[in-house]
Amino acid sequence: MQPKNNILHLPVYQPGKPVEDVKRELGLTEVTKLASNENPHGCSEQAKAAIMEELNQTNIYPDGASIELAAALANHLNVKPEQLIFGTGSSEIILMLARAFLVAGDETIMADETFPQYKHNAEIENARIIEVPLKDGKHDLPAMLAKVTERTKIIWICNPNNPTGTIVTKDELTSFLQQVPSHVLVVLDEAYCELVTDPAFPNGIELLSSYRNLIVLRTFSKVYGLAALRIGYGVGDPDVLRFINQVREPFNTTRIAQAAAKAAVSDQAFIQHVVEQNAAGIAYFAAQFDRLGLAYYPAHGNFIMVDVLRPSTEVFNALLRKGFIIRSRWTYYPTYIRVSVGTKQQNEQFIAALEQVLQEVAVQS
């Protein structure tokens, strides 16, 4: 049996290393995972209650249209339910977008260091990938615009960008959208938007009424703390979403995920608590990196990317032996690591471990 030729070279997505694997491999009893930008504060108690109640309905198929969740979320976002589409995380909507719009020979534009699933799914459809280098760690929108041709189908913008954590501002984004041809779909991935406190940050959903070729992706995995349930959503023009729905699998989100997400939306007090704790964690990391003389990108999500001035794989492995899982191995940033914000205790323990590692690696050098 032979697969499609264009997938033979594709790497398999590598998530953050599982805690149990590290414990088993290194004989550790305590391991802290700060690799996958998960919410260290869990999820809303209201969401937990909804999950428990829904366990009595596991024999019943979910609502394929997520009607109740769509109504609650539409009210929260001030959009119409028909402007929403749901997926098993926003990553499934990325897959559906590529499946619905890209064919062999189409061009798609993205940053050269961003969420890898844009490129992965475009390659599966045999589209031509146009990668534009980041500028000071952020999307270079003018350079991306200059790459648009008649064959361009989709432009991907991750805001805040993963892994660098940088943002494009409302003025920058609006200027860009005004110049993008109407035949090009702009996908604005706002997975971390609720955590951004910078007033210059754009709310992509507020721009939808002006740009029919814009679709905004968001998720319940990050600030809402429902990563294990795999549920995310897209917001856009109903006519555009109709094409995406045509390739969506039936019952692609579960009853439990829908119920938990609906309950989570109603508990914005929990979200505010998470945002405040996250901002404190970012400020703490920034202050400690300043003390250690390490450069880092302005962080606007729940993670920060820092230059450890040494090969990142060495630092990754040394931190692993001390019981901390982070992310490394960035193609264009070989001396950078990305660390997720944890609890106050986890953050402090990580900095202590990092300081030890940097001293040890310096001695070995």
Side-chain angles (χ1 to χ4, degrees):
M1 297 190 301
Q2 293 297 318
K4 295 161 65 172
N5 287 335
N6 57 297
I7 73 164
L8 291 175
H9 70 288
L10 294 184
V12 176
Y13 179 76
Q14 296 296 322
K17 201 169 178 65
V19 168
E20 294 307 317
D21 283 1
V22 176
K23 286 182 177 180
R24 182 175 58 254
E25 291 171 6
L26 299 179
L28 299 173
T29 56
E30 294 295 327
V31 173
T32 300
K33 184 184 177 188
L34 299 175
S36 299
N37 305 339
E38 294 154 329
N39 186 340
H41 308 288
C43 69
S44 161
E45 290 299 321
Q46 294 180 34
K48 292 179 184 178
I51 291 169
M52 296 305 296
E53 183 176 346
E54 204 59 38
L55 290 177
N56 295 319
Q57 305 287 339
T58 57
N59 59 312
I60 306 297
Y61 278 114
D63 171 12
S66 306
I67 291 175
E68 290 188 9
L69 173 57
L73 187 58
N75 182 66
H76 174 64
L77 298 174
N78 194 29
V79 299
K80 297 176 181 178
E82 56 266 31
Q83 289 181 265
L84 295 166
I85 185 169
F86 296 92
T88 51
S90 54
S91 57
E92 190 196 17
I93 303 175
I94 294 168
L95 180 153
M96 290 190 286
L97 282 161
R99 189 176 182 186
F101 289 100
L102 297 176
V103 297
D106 283 344
E107 295 179 356
T108 182
I109 300 171
M110 63 198 69
D112 65 348
E113 197 72 87
T114 191
F115 187 50
Q117 292 308 99
Y118 312 143
K119 182 177 182 179
H120 180 83
N121 284 290
E123 288 186 314
I124 289 173
E125 304 304 329
N126 213 14
R128 181 168 179 250
I129 314 297
I130 310 296
E131 294 182 284
V132 177
L134 295 173
K135 186 176 182 179
D136 298 324
K138 64 183 287 185
H139 285 72
D140 188 345
L141 296 185
M144 296 176 81
L145 189 65
K147 295 293 184 180
V148 174
T149 72
E150 291 183 356
R151 300 190 68 85
T152 305
K153 277 286 190 68
I154 303 178
I155 301 174
W156 309 87
I157 301 173
C158 189
N159 200 35
N161 186 46
N162 179 11
T164 56
T166 56
I167 62 170
V168 296
T169 67
K170 181 177 181 179
D171 289 345
E172 291 167 339
L173 181 61
T174 302
S175 175
F176 173 79
L177 289 171
Q178 289 172 347
Q179 301 175 75
V180 174
S182 60
H183 75 274
V184 177
L185 182 65
V186 177
V187 179
L188 183 63
D189 188 345
E190 295 186 335
Y192 302 92
C193 66
E194 295 93 347
L195 294 156
V196 182
T197 58
D198 192 322
F201 183 73
N203 179 339
I205 291 175
E206 293 177 351
L207 300 173
L208 290 172
S209 60
S210 300
Y211 304 99
R212 184 176 176 271
N213 60 330
L214 175 67
I215 182 167
V216 177
L217 306 186
R218 293 188 178 179
T219 182
F220 286 95
S221 295
K222 305 304 179 182
V223 74
Y224 285 97
L226 298 176
L229 299 187
R230 308 306 302 124
I231 185 161
Y233 60 98
V235 194
D237 184 280
D239 290 335
V240 177
L241 296 190
R242 189 175 300 113
F243 298 133
I244 307 171
N245 264 311
Q246 287 175 311
V247 300
R248 180 175 63 84
E249 295 297 317
F251 310 120
N252 64 320
T253 60
T254 68
R255 294 184 64 94
I256 294 173
Q258 291 177 27
K262 178 185 173 185
V265 168
S266 69
D267 190 359
Q268 290 299 309
F270 172 78
I271 300 305
Q272 185 58 38
H273 169 72
V274 172
V275 172
E276 291 170 356
Q277 294 298 309
N278 183 73
I282 290 291
Y284 172 76
F285 277 153
Q288 293 303 308
F289 294 151
D290 286 340
R291 178 179 64 82
L292 294 171
L294 302 177
Y296 53 91
Y297 287 112
H300 296 280
N302 61 352
F303 57 92
I304 189 166
M305 193 170 180
V306 57
D307 187 355
V308 290
L309 302 173
R310 298 149 178 83
S312 63
T313 52
E314 293 182 12
V315 175
F316 172 89
N317 289 326
L319 283 168
L320 205 62
R321 291 191 291 271
K322 294 184 181 296
F324 288 89
I325 311 172
I326 51 89
R327 291 299 289 264
S328 63
R329 298 183 177 89
W330 311 109
T331 302
Y332 300 100
Y333 302 89
T335 62
Y336 280 76
I337 63 171
R338 191 196 70 191
V339 57
S340 305
V341 175
T343 64
K344 183 175 184 294
Q345 181 181 25
Q346 289 173 336
N347 297 338
E348 292 173 350
Q349 291 173 340
F350 166 76
I351 289 296
L354 176 64
E355 195 163 6
Q356 292 176 6
V357 165
L358 295 180
Q359 292 172 351
E360 292 169 1
V361 172
V363 169
Q364 293 171 4
S365 300

